[in-house]
Amino acid sequence: MNRLEHTEHLDRKLIDELAQVARETVRDELREQTRKQRRTATLYAASGATALYAGAALALAVGLALAIGLPGWAAALITAALLAAVAYLLRGAARPSGSRPTPTSEAAPTGHDHVVGGSAPGAPPSGLGMPYPPVPPVAPTAGVPATDGPHAAQPGAPRQDDVNPEAPRR
């Protein structure tokens, strides 16, 4: 029995040591990945700053070239208009194609068919069927049936009082 306790003690010690080695290995790996990502982010930031200065120098060159034949204020105004047009085009290119308005989605749908951002999908992209149950054409009333309007009780429809929870479902 004493030998069994000694073996358990060795097993626990070995497990603790293995867990410590695993923690240190994971910690070192995460440090290395963080160091690489920090270096990459710094290089991207430096690249962006350099591109910003290059764009400013290009805009200055365009303005100075236009200033040869035009007054300085007109050259600056034309340069600003060109930069605004380029910014607008780049903004449009950065948007995903699904968010651009199309002639069919610009008209505001009415009734229960209205879905924010366009029309409801027929099925999810995975092809596993409907992601949610179909919406009934008329919203259910909460207890009291309406007497007029679009939510009025239809002649053949059961009322809330007629429903028996004990009855078997059809």
Side-chain angles (χ1 to χ4, degrees), residues 38-114:
R38 190 180 304 133
R39 182 175 183 272
T40 302
T42 304
L43 290 174
Y44 272 121
S47 170
T50 305
L52 181 66
Y53 282 113
L58 180 64
L60 180 65
V62 168
L64 290 175
L66 288 172
I68 292 173
L70 296 171
W73 64 267
L77 191 62
I78 292 172
T79 304
L82 287 173
L83 287 174
V86 168
Y88 181 78
L89 292 174
L90 289 174
R91 180 180 150 251
R95 279 187 173 173
S97 61
S99 67
R100 292 187 183 135
T102 59
T104 58
S105 68
E106 284 178 357
T110 59
H112 62 86
D113 295 333
H114 177 68

Side-chain angles (χ1 to χ4, degrees), residues 8 107 110 124 164:
E8 285 181 10
T110 59
N164 181 3

